[in-house]
Amino acid sequence: MVRLRKHQPAEISSSQLSQQPAPSSLNNHTEHIDSSTRCNRRGFSNTSADRSSSSWSGIVKLAGIFLAGSFVLYYTHKFNDYTKQTVSARKALRSSLALTEQYPSPVSPPESWCDQVRSARQDIDPLLRIHYPCEHLSPAISAVVCMITAGVPEGKESRTVFSKSDYINGALALGMSLRQNMNTDSPTATTTTHMLFLVRDGYTIPKSDEERLRAVGWTIGIAPKYELEKQYIPRFARYATTYTKLSAMGLSEYKCVMLMDADTLAVGNLDSLMDCSLFATNDSAGSQRVASEKMTYEVPRLAGALDYYHGRWMHFNTGVLLYNT
């Protein structure tokens, strides 16, 4: 038989009782532990989300920094290219300005005298074509022409017929008188006049005479040989080749041409004749008003001088003719 002990509650001393927590305190402690446990769990969960958010934020920041750096590099490169191009353009401009100052080029180069001659003679009959060196001549509006077409042999000359040397000596004197009485090559002259000494084609003069003629201002050229039918050739031998003088009308590069024989001299200023104002027109009908006489007349193609013969002015002298070319 088993004896059952009667269970009796153990006696607890007051000191032990005081060491045990009160129920309410225990409950509070338990709640604190549960709350702490929940907070720790929540804290673990919140820390993971924060870490994920921080990672994306860092990636966005890095991407922004990369894009900003790329833009900076791109525009820095473009700016450097622009700066280099600007510097190159400025250098090229300076070089161009320096070259322009050193070698100025005219906007429109002036036409040479040879070009003007070719242009003016496009429709001229070959029988009127005169040849002379034009390269050294400056542009002019008029010319004085002296021709030598023939001459009697030396020793056969007389007061009515002349030899080649007679004509040459006369042309030398005429050349000097022209240079003293008109503007021929002056750079300040408003109208420049050329001096042409023309030798008939087929006729020759010594080289020494050519040099002397050039020394007094003549430009030596060749006049065309104008052949006439026998019935029209003058009987006087001195005038047999005189029709060559008509070729002076073919000098269409000038406004007017003065034909002077080798036995003439200029004794007064010729500028009022060589500016070609005698043939100036004021309308399309080809007329000119003479202010001194208050009259109108047709503009002529040719003006000449009367010959003083036997004490009076008479006859038309072909030794001095002014052509309106």
Side-chain angles (χ1 to χ4, degrees), residues 1 26 30 65 75 77 95 101-102 129 136-137 145 156 167 170-171 192-193 225 249 257 285 291 299 306 313:
M1 176 178 286
L26 183 62
T30 303
I65 293 172
Y75 284 106
H77 179 70
S95 300
E101 293 176 358
Q102 187 175 2
R129 290 189 182 276
H136 70 286
L137 295 176
V145 175
K156 299 293 183 178
Y167 283 115
T192 301
T193 301
K225 186 178 182 179
M249 291 187 296
V257 172
V299 175
L306 295 177
W313 295 100

Side-chain angles (χ1 to χ4, degrees), residues 32-76:
H32 175 71
I33 292 173
D34 293 340
S35 175
S36 175
T37 303
R38 287 196 299 270
C39 287
N40 288 338
R41 288 176 181 175
R42 290 176 184 175
F44 175 80
S45 175
N46 289 341
T47 301
S48 300
D50 290 342
R51 287 179 181 177
S52 177
S53 176
S54 299
S55 298
W56 281 108
S57 176
I59 291 172
V60 171
K61 288 181 180 180
L62 288 175
I65 293 172
F66 175 76
L67 290 175
S70 299
F71 278 115
V72 170
L73 290 176
Y74 174 77
Y75 284 106
T76 301

Side-chain angles (χ1 to χ4, degrees), residues 138-306:
S138 58
I141 66 169
S142 60
V144 173
V145 175
C146 181
M147 291 189 184
I148 179 170
T149 60
V152 298
E154 298 294 332
K156 299 293 183 178
E157 63 274 3
S158 67
R159 68 181 184 89
T160 57
V161 292
F162 307 113
S163 65
K164 183 183 300 185
S165 60
D166 290 333
Y167 283 115
I168 298 297
N169 291 332
L172 292 172
L174 174 60
M176 289 300 299
S177 68
L178 290 172
R179 296 190 67 175
Q180 294 171 1
N181 289 284
M182 70 176 187
N183 293 320
T184 55
D185 54 3
S186 173
T188 59
T190 55
T191 58
T192 301
T193 301
H194 293 164
M195 294 169 54
L196 305 179
F197 184 83
L198 304 178
V199 182
R200 186 171 183 253
D201 190 16
Y203 194 70
T204 59
I205 61 175
K207 295 294 183 182
S208 58
D209 289 337
E210 290 184 3
E211 294 176 1
R212 291 197 298 155
L213 290 167
R214 292 190 184 96
V216 298
W218 291 109
T219 297
I220 301 176
I222 299 175
K225 186 178 182 179
Y226 192 74
E227 298 288 356
L228 289 175
E229 296 181 16
K230 187 176 181 179
Q231 59 180 332
Y232 298 117
I233 298 176
R235 289 176 294 174
F236 189 30
R238 177 181 174 181
Y239 301 134
T241 57
T242 194
Y243 284 98
T244 302
K245 296 178 181 179
L246 294 175
S247 62
M249 291 187 296
L251 296 170
S252 56
E253 61 267 28
Y254 303 104
K255 290 184 178 180
C256 63
V257 172
M258 174 82 82
L259 180 64
M260 300 183 72
D261 280 351
D263 59 351
T264 59
L265 291 174
V267 294
N269 191 280
L270 300 178
D271 291 339
S272 60
L273 288 175
M274 302 318 299
D275 64 1
C276 307
S277 59
L278 180 64
F279 301 120
T281 59
N282 59 3
D283 56 42
S284 59
S287 63
Q288 177 191 30
R289 183 168 300 280
V290 180
S292 59
E293 299 180 11
K294 303 295 183 183
M295 62 178 293
T296 302
Y297 60 90
E298 274 193 32
V299 175
R301 290 296 307 274
L302 180 67
L306 295 177

